[in-house]
Amino acid sequence: MGEQGSGAPDSSAASRFEKAYQELRNLIVSGHFEPNARLTEAELTSRLDVSRGTIRSVLVRLTQEGYVTSEPHRGVRTRVFTIEEAAAVLEAREVLESALAAKAATHATESELQELAAVLRRMGEAEDAHAEAEYSRLNRRFHRHIRTIARQPILSGFVDVLVYPLVMRQYRDLTRTHPRANSLNEHRAILAALQTHNPDAAAAAMRHHVASARRALLLNTRSTED
């Protein structure tokens, strides 16, 4: 195994830990593992080419961050969210993303707004072509760009730890048309508010957009449980 007998300094061990952490986190977020899938040390050490000690440390961190759960007699499993937990994550995202949009409206430069407009045009092209995967990729880029424009790394960091992608993986109905109806127009409203440098309008447009996505995501789940 890649770690054994290396005699590497502590910095090298930290680097291996960080690489293994990022790789496993990306596997979980990308949907490689189903919700409630059991993660075994033997499988992960082989896949990531690190020691069991490193894997244990990685799993501790992922447990603390909410990506996995660890229980006696059940082992470590990928996170499963109740509807209430999922709603709480999505509501927190509304608050954070709207605050970031308000900051972005204040700080955005003309070139940054032009780049955001270009992303939005490509989202429209992807929607017309029914290219769902491309639309999703561009949607993530649109939101990331707003977070960058906001110049608020602490607020942005809170979004990173919300485990929002896991909620989406668990609850998104793949039989429904994507993107959601009106999603593109909601993005256009966000951009228009940013272009006028109106923080209140940007926050309201973002909050409406994220709240609409939350309702669409959870409405179908609640209706099937009634």
Side-chain angles (χ1 to χ4, degrees), residues 85 90-91 103 141 168 170 209:
E85 289 171 334
L90 296 172
E91 287 165 3
K103 292 294 184 181
R141 183 174 173 182
M168 287 293 295
Q170 182 176 337
H209 168 60

Side-chain angles (χ1 to χ4, degrees), residues 16 75 80 114 126 136 150:
R16 286 194 297 270
V80 175
Q114 288 175 358
S136 294

Side-chain angles (χ1 to χ4, degrees), residues 192-205:
L194 294 175
Q195 289 171 329
T196 61
H197 299 282
N198 186 326
D200 291 339

Side-chain angles (χ1 to χ4, degrees), residues 24-25 27-28 32-34 36-44 47 55 58-59 62-63 67-69 74-79:
L24 183 52
R25 179 183 178 278
L27 285 170
I28 294 171
H32 179 83
F33 300 105
E34 293 292 325
N36 203 37
R38 187 172 184 181
L39 305 179
T40 65
E41 290 181 5
E43 176 192 356
L44 295 177
R47 176 184 292 275
I55 287 298
V58 167
L59 291 174
L62 290 171
T63 301
Y67 290 94
V68 301
T69 59
R74 296 190 76 240
V76 177
R77 294 178 180 270
T78 51
R79 178 87 175 269

Side-chain angles (χ1 to χ4, degrees), residues 169-208:
R169 293 284 177 188
Q170 182 176 337
Y171 282 98
R172 183 181 166 193
D173 184 355
L174 297 178
T175 66
R176 288 178 174 255
T177 301
H178 179 74
R180 172 178 53 81
N182 295 321
S183 174
L184 187 60
N185 285 335
E186 291 164 11
H187 286 87
R188 287 171 176 153
I190 294 168
L191 177 60
L194 294 175
Q195 289 171 329
T196 61
H197 299 282
N198 186 326
D200 291 339
M206 179 63 81
R207 188 146 197 173
H208 171 71

